[in-house]
Amino acid sequence: MEEEDDTVKEGLMASPREIFSISGPIHLTSIDWNNSYHRTSVASCLVQAVYTLERDRQQNRIGLKSQAHHWWEFFNFTLAETLIDQSDGSIYGAVFQYKLFSYNYHNTPYSKTPPLHVIAFRGTIMKPHSRSRDLRLDLRCVRDCLHDSTRFVHAIEVIKTAVAKNGNASVWLAGHSLGAGMALLAGKIMTRSGFPLECYLFNPPFSSIPIEKLVKSEKIKHGVRFAGSLVKAGVAIAVKGRHHHNKGQEDDSFMKLASWIPYLYVNPLDPICSEYIGYFNHRNKMFEIGAGKIERIATRNSLRSLLTGGGGGGSSCSDSSSEPLHLLPSAYMTINTSKSPDFKRAHGIHQWWDPMFTGEYVLHQFNQ
């Protein structure tokens, strides 16, 4: 879950990819908040701002040498709060506040309003000052135990404070890679608490085998996933028993997420996030072939959590915060259909504001 990091020697000038005037979307001089590309560009640039804040800190770039502020000031945001990891002192996130307070947030029924606050989280930075802590959190992400890390506990408190003060409609979450995992987990927790947030998730980690990337044949992919669904559904019924499945859906934590539709940004050449494509496509395929009943059970469960007793889609464990991140009923998915030359580009944040971007846009909604 590595950021597209610079190739400049440690301690010297900033990488061109950290300099907004070189790598940022400088063509976006006026933001149309109804335009999805504009919203995507703002959200992804604010995530890049967090990456650059931490790199400024690591390289002691202050004053005129600092680069981070350009990434938010261009879009009329201010830095309201910097989020620091207690373990290593690194900057892992930030709260950005929109400067145009005169904007009418109440009388725009047919148009999207800008967020009052955007809370953004960076991914892994493979540099000595942050690498060790970030990689430990990457491992937590894979093991579905990010929820009890000190970084996430701090982040969710910041989010709850912002929502309590301003309301959930004016708060956005955004993150890349590990940061997308944090934003996704926080978004699920807030939605289950009755406060759904607009959420922009760039290259979010999928904690399972990346079949989409590893297997080329569509028939084999479907066969593997079909068998997986049968096994998961069977184990779920055996483990949870009749009582669970007769309780009704009002207590099912998976179904509490059904109306929440986060924005997912994935690249099919990125093994960290590409399996989201297969996850949703397979679910649609199962309904098409008449196996919807099986998939309704399978899609809300993880085989690993069923067998180990961890959080599943119907678990009550810490509001199901220990469940696999990828268990999602619905999503707006943007798939980058450009041919990324290597993993760094396929997994990088810069692709999402590229003016030459070509993509596929799919709305996935769970059929109850």
Side-chain angles (χ1 to χ4, degrees), residues 50-326:
V50 181
Y51 275 118
T52 312
L53 273 169
E54 173 56 13
R55 293 297 288 143
D56 279 350
R57 183 192 75 86
Q58 291 182 4
Q59 295 191 316
N60 196 30
R61 299 192 302 239
I62 57 177
L64 294 176
K65 292 184 178 180
S66 64
Q67 296 297 329
H69 63 100
H70 300 293
W71 292 92
W72 65 77
E73 288 177 351
F74 186 83
F75 301 109
N76 291 307
F77 282 86
T78 59
L79 178 62
E81 185 177 356
T82 303
L83 308 184
I84 310 294
D85 191 301
Q86 298 174 6
S87 298
D88 64 357
S90 67
I91 299 170
Y92 73 86
V95 181
F96 300 101
Q97 182 170 307
Y98 193 54
K99 280 200 288 190
L100 303 183
F101 293 112
S102 60
Y103 196 93
N104 190 335
Y105 279 88
H106 302 290
N107 298 317
T108 52
Y110 302 110
S111 63
K112 290 188 74 70
T113 58
L116 183 58
H117 286 103
V118 177
I119 305 174
F121 307 102
R122 66 166 175 83
T124 302
I125 295 180
M126 293 295 286
K127 294 293 180 181
H129 298 284
S130 52
R131 179 173 53 213
S132 176
R133 174 63 171 162
D134 286 354
L135 288 175
R136 287 200 301 271
L137 289 168
D138 287 337
L139 184 58
R140 278 182 169 272
C141 225
V142 171
R143 295 172 53 217
D144 305 316
C145 58
L146 187 62
H147 63 285
D148 58 2
S149 66
T150 55
R151 181 181 291 188
F152 181 78
V153 170
H154 178 237
I156 195 68
E157 288 305 315
V158 170
I159 293 167
K160 288 178 178 177
T161 299
V163 170
K165 184 177 179 181
N166 304 290
N168 59 306
S170 62
V171 177
W172 287 8
L173 301 182
H176 173 246
S177 193
L178 171 62
M182 290 186 57
L184 174 54
L185 179 55
K188 292 169 82 169
I189 290 173
M190 294 303 292
T191 299
R192 287 181 175 125
S193 301
F195 301 99
L197 302 174
E198 192 153 323
C199 201
Y200 293 80
L201 308 166
F202 303 100
N203 304 81
F206 193 100
S207 57
S208 185
I209 298 171
I211 299 170
E212 191 68 24
K213 183 72 169 66
L214 296 177
V215 181
K216 301 302 179 185
S217 166
E218 290 300 321
K219 285 186 177 181
I220 295 175
K221 284 180 188 177
H222 178 62
V224 171
R225 292 191 177 111
F226 183 80
S229 290
L230 286 177
V231 172
K232 280 194 289 185
V235 173
I237 293 171
V239 169
K240 298 180 179 180
R242 290 183 181 178
H243 174 66
H244 170 81
H245 290 287
N246 289 335
K247 282 175 67 177
Q249 294 182 330
E250 65 275 13
D251 294 326
D252 188 334
S253 64
F254 182 83
M255 292 313 302
K256 288 179 181 178
L257 300 175
S259 61
W260 179 58
I261 310 179
Y263 295 92
L264 261 63
Y265 298 83
V266 300
N267 189 313
L269 298 178
D270 175 11
I272 289 172
C273 68
S274 62
E275 189 56 23
Y276 278 102
I277 301 171
Y279 173 77
F280 284 108
N281 286 348
H282 169 67
R283 192 166 72 193
N284 293 340
K285 186 75 173 176
M286 290 289 279
F287 279 92
E288 286 173 11
I289 66 174
K293 288 185 177 180
I294 294 172
E295 191 57 22
R296 280 192 181 93
I297 300 172
T299 196
R300 67 185 70 187
N301 288 287
S302 154
L303 190 59
R304 179 173 57 187
S305 17
L306 284 169
L307 295 175
T308 59
S315 167
S316 60
C317 173
S318 300
D319 286 328
S320 299
S321 53
S322 62
E323 75 183 14
L325 286 172
H326 66 261

Side-chain angles (χ1 to χ4, degrees), residues 13-65:
M13 63 186 294
S15 158
R17 301 189 73 77
E18 296 171 343
I19 301 173
F20 183 83
S21 60
I22 297 175
S23 297
I26 56 175
H27 60 286
L28 288 180
T29 54
S30 178
I31 298 299
D32 174 5
W33 295 99
N34 290 307
N35 184 307
S36 61
Y37 167 71
H38 288 201
R39 296 196 310 274
T40 296
S41 296
V42 171
S44 54
C45 282
L46 292 178
V47 173
Q48 176 60 33
V50 181
Y51 275 118
T52 312
L53 273 169
E54 173 56 13
R55 293 297 288 143
D56 279 350
R57 183 192 75 86
Q58 291 182 4
Q59 295 191 316
N60 196 30
R61 299 192 302 239
I62 57 177
L64 294 176
K65 292 184 178 180

